[in-house]
Amino acid sequence: GSGVVIVHGSMQDASSQTDLAALLAERHAVHLVDRRGHGDSGAHPGPPYTEREADDLRAVLEATGARSVFGVSSGAIVAARAALAGAPLERLALFEPPLVFDGSADLGALPAFDAAIERGELPTAMGVAMKIAQMGPPWMFGLPVPVLAAASRRLLRSPVTAERARALVADFGVVRENADRVDEFAGVAVRTLVVSGSATRPYLKGAAAAIAERIPGSRHVVLAGEWHGVTQNRAERGRPDRVAPALLDFFAAAG
């Protein structure tokens, strides 16, 4: 069938949506990509983060002939920016882009994240990131950074997790570069589906609703009871079977 490119989000890589890809592959040729700094891709050279990754996505579309994209979290911002820049797209699906506007999320701790990365203190950087992005249950991201850093040390023993944590520099770079710029997405001129979960963080709910309101003719699907990790593999507590039907329906007319 027609081609679909999946662009993963933060603390993920190309392998994070393989279960979802298998469901979509019943009707489509699905392409999973490692964004810069993830998996088999090389290191991210730095800013401008969004522009570089949007260019990467355009290259993937041109190389594969795919004309549909599903962007997850920060990958959704990249996908929407690629559409704005004129990438060859026919269908654009966005899952909970972390667009911050009107103080919807507090980015004031980003300098502390930057400083921890600069010092090479990855557990501390991870702890700060958990508070900024509101990762995990509310009681968890409400804990002090030193407690979160201590809890992160065990997770960061995994080389894959450590690699994904280091790549948060680029993910937060994308968030920074697009903060208070949600109105610009009114210029997206391709058919668009926005997907979000009813149990996700308030700032993500607000971002999904805001971008759906601004993109002309877009459709917004809310998955009852689901959260930000729903697109991930079942082994990572995702529920791809909840996401696939909406995507299959939306991509059916592509190509």
Side-chain angles (χ1 to χ4, degrees):
S2 59
V4 175
V5 177
I6 297 180
V7 186
H8 66 78
S10 62
M11 293 304 294
Q12 299 179 351
D13 56 33
S15 68
S16 299
Q17 276 88 32
T18 51
D19 288 352
L20 177 61
L23 295 172
L24 300 182
E26 295 176 5
R27 303 181 196 170
H28 299 277
V30 184
H31 306 276
L32 293 160
V33 297
D34 281 319
R35 292 167 56 197
R36 291 174 186 252
H38 299 79
D40 291 333
S41 290
H44 207 301
Y49 295 101
T50 315
E51 182 180 349
R52 289 184 191 278
E53 294 203 44
D55 287 345
D56 291 342
L57 178 53
R58 175 191 285 271
V60 171
L61 292 168
E62 291 175 349
T64 62
R67 294 295 178 262
S68 297
V69 170
F70 179 48
V72 177
S73 192
S74 54
I77 298 179
V78 170
R81 281 291 173 189
L84 273 177
L89 273 167
E90 295 177 2
R91 293 286 191 281
L92 174 67
L94 307 172
F95 179 78
E96 296 190 1
L99 292 165
V100 176
F101 61 99
D102 296 337
S104 58
D106 184 6
L107 301 183
L110 279 173
F113 171 83
D114 296 337
I117 290 291
E118 186 68 25
R119 295 192 304 267
E121 297 175 2
L122 194 56
T124 298
M126 185 71 170
V128 176
M130 291 171 74
K131 293 184 76 68
I132 295 171
Q134 301 177 22
M135 300 180 191
W139 64 265
M140 180 178 289
F141 62 75
L143 294 173
V145 169
V147 175
L148 293 173
S152 297
R153 286 191 176 89
R154 177 179 295 180
L155 297 173
L156 292 170
R157 292 173 188 166
S158 160
V160 171
T161 303
E163 175 189 79
R164 293 176 178 180
R166 284 188 288 270
L168 284 169
V169 172
D171 288 299
F172 281 132
V174 169
V175 172
R176 276 172 160 145
E177 290 170 355
N178 290 276
D180 292 313
R181 297 176 65 185
V182 67
D183 288 343
E184 296 176 16
F185 294 99
V188 172
V190 300
R191 293 281 298 276
T192 302
L193 172 72
V194 179
V195 182
S196 62
S198 69
T200 198
R201 298 288 175 249
Y203 81 96
L204 293 170
K205 288 183 186 179
I211 197 169
E213 288 170 1
R214 285 159 176 78
I215 297 177
S218 68
R219 185 161 60 95
H220 186 187
V221 171
V222 179
L223 304 176
E226 298 301 343
W227 64 300
H228 197 56
V230 68
T231 70
Q232 295 176 185
N233 296 331
R234 297 177 186 88
E236 298 173 344
R237 298 194 301 128
R239 297 186 66 188
D241 53 297
R242 293 295 313 279
V243 184
L247 296 179
L248 287 169
D249 178 64
F250 178 64
F251 292 140

